[in-house]
């Protein structure tokens, strides 16, 4: 049987895990696509490409040029533009499409969460005197907090912001996850963090900050997810692998 060409839209931990698992599947030739937001790419199994496609039409052209047979959208739960483009392009190119979307985090006893719909609402919801507030929102979202001149902020980012976010009192911590509970507790204690702001990304890799906040009794401002397009969706890599098996008629190679 001819190998199927699979494009994974990356940016999530699931995308890396999926590419890794498929390295042993002879039925698929895999290429992972990255937007190119981080300066240093994390290594990925198999082939990869970097950079935007140029909207839906650009992605359709890429799918055709590269003879892509199957598209898996494994972008981050907040990358809603790419997800909408992916569904539209797969429809236009008439190829199977699946989205991996991990479930959002749910509050548990002991959590003090305030859910908001946007970064602007998150900035407004930080309690007065919560100094410093820890921001785990990505470097491009930092300007939303510039108006809270009553507070100082500690922001964890992978790369420095391209432009000054305009926050008067800002300390940056450079690190790439995952982080465990001990690391998060140590960071929060070292800086005396009084409040945590994060997107509701879900998943295990970024959960420890929420556990640390619970343990230290800190309020958490949680930004809700944007709406996602109505695509066929699975919650994890194992389900995506099961779906991929159906794409090859249940025939299996070395992956059984
Ligand atoms: P977005 O708003 O949904 O996408 C903006 C544009 O970036 C897309 O229209 C596309 O450009 C390009 N793009 C996004 N993902 C791409 C991919 N995997 N391969 C090639 N081009 C891609 O996305 P975003 O929120 O800016 O996130 C950018 C990337 O960072 C995503 O891949 C996402 O998985 C990852 N990420 C995002 C977050 C987050 O909080 N948003 C967190 C962690 C990782 P064209 O229209 O030119 O094709």
């Amino acid at each position: 049987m001819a190998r199927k060409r699979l494009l994974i839209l990356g940016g999530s931990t699931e995308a890396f895990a999926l590419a890794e698992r498929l390295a042993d599947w002879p039925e698929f030739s895999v290429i992972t696509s990255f937007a190119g937001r981080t300066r240093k790419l994390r290594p990925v199994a198999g082939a990869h490409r970097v950079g935007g496609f140029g909207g839906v039409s650009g992605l359709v052209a890429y799918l055709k040029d590269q003879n892509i047979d199957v598209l898996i959208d494994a972008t981050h739960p907040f990358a809603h533009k790419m997800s909408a483009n992916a569904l539209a392009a797969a429809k236009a190119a008439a190829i199977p499409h699946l989205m991996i979307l991990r479930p959002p985090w749910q509050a548990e006893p002991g959590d003090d969460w305030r859910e908001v719909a946007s970064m602007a609402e998150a900035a407004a919801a930080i309690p007065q005197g919560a100094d410093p507030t820890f921001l785990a929102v990505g470097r491009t979202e930092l300007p939303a907090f510039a108006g809270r001149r009553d507070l100082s902020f500690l922001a964890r980012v992978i790369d420095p912001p391209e432009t000054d976010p305009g926050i008067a009192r800002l300390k940056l911590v450079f690190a790439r996850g995952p982080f465990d509970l001990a690391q998060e507790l140590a960071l929060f204690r070292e800086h005396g963090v009084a409040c945590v702001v994060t997107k509701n990304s879900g998943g295990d890799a970024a959960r420890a900050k929420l556990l640390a906040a619970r343990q230290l009794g800190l309020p958490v401002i949680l930004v809700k997810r944007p709406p996602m397009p109505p695509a066929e969706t699975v919650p994890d890599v194992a389900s995506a692998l099961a779906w991929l098996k159906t794409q090859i008629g249940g025939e299996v190679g070395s992956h059984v």
Side-chain angles (χ1 to χ4, degrees):
M1 187 172 91
R3 298 182 92 196
K4 282 190 182 282
R5 287 177 58 76
L6 166 64
L7 177 66
I8 300 174
L9 297 174
S12 66
T13 50
E14 287 83 355
F16 289 100
L18 184 62
E20 181 85 42
R21 292 290 305 273
L22 289 172
D24 296 332
W25 285 37
E27 291 83 3
F28 289 97
S29 149
V30 178
I31 180 158
T32 303
S33 174
F34 298 98
R37 296 286 191 273
T38 51
R39 285 184 182 175
K40 191 162 180 274
L41 201 62
R42 186 180 140 185
V44 63
H48 73 271
R49 65 167 298 283
V50 181
F53 298 96
V56 176
S57 60
L59 180 52
V60 173
Y62 179 88
L63 296 173
K64 290 186 173 158
D65 286 353
Q66 296 292 319
N67 297 313
I68 301 295
D69 299 300
V70 183
L71 178 60
I72 294 202
D73 173 6
T75 54
H76 186 269
F78 278 74
H80 61 112
K81 289 192 205 101
M82 187 71 249
S83 291
N85 289 358
L87 180 61
K91 277 189 179 156
I95 61 168
H97 165 279
L98 183 74
M99 180 159 62
I100 304 179
L101 190 63
R102 60 178 97 118
W105 293 312
Q106 304 289 342
E108 290 178 26
D111 284 328
D112 175 7
W113 289 7
R114 296 132 207 223
E115 287 197 272
V116 296
S118 67
M119 284 296 155
E121 281 187 27
I126 302 169
Q128 282 188 349
D131 207 35
T133 284
F134 178 65
L135 301 176
V137 294
R139 68 187 191 280
T140 59
E141 308 283 4
L142 296 179
F145 300 87
R148 289 300 302 265
R149 302 191 85 75
D150 55 318
L151 297 173
S152 66
F153 291 92
L154 176 72
R156 184 164 60 203
V157 290
I158 297 175
D159 295 314
E162 276 87 13
T163 53
D164 181 356
I167 298 177
R169 288 178 293 147
L170 172 66
K171 188 173 172 115
L172 295 173
V173 181
F174 295 98
R176 192 196 283 262
F179 308 100
D180 62 23
L181 178 58
Q183 288 171 306
E184 300 296 46
L185 284 170
L187 180 77
F188 291 2
R189 285 186 175 127
E190 180 191 343
H191 296 275
V193 166
C195 176
V196 173
V197 182
T198 183
K199 296 174 178 176
N200 193 339
S201 301
D204 292 332
R207 190 195 299 270
K209 58 181 172 282
L210 299 173
L211 304 180
R214 185 192 305 159
Q215 204 160 310
L216 298 174
L218 303 180
V220 176
I221 315 294
L222 210 66
V223 181
K224 284 189 233 167
R225 294 177 173 191
M228 279 293 166
E232 186 174 356
T233 303
V234 293
D236 52 34
V237 171
S239 315
L241 290 167
W243 180 86
L244 279 171
K245 273 189 194 173
T246 67
Q247 299 303 313
I248 47 173
E251 285 180 49
V252 288
S254 61
H255 53 276
V256 284

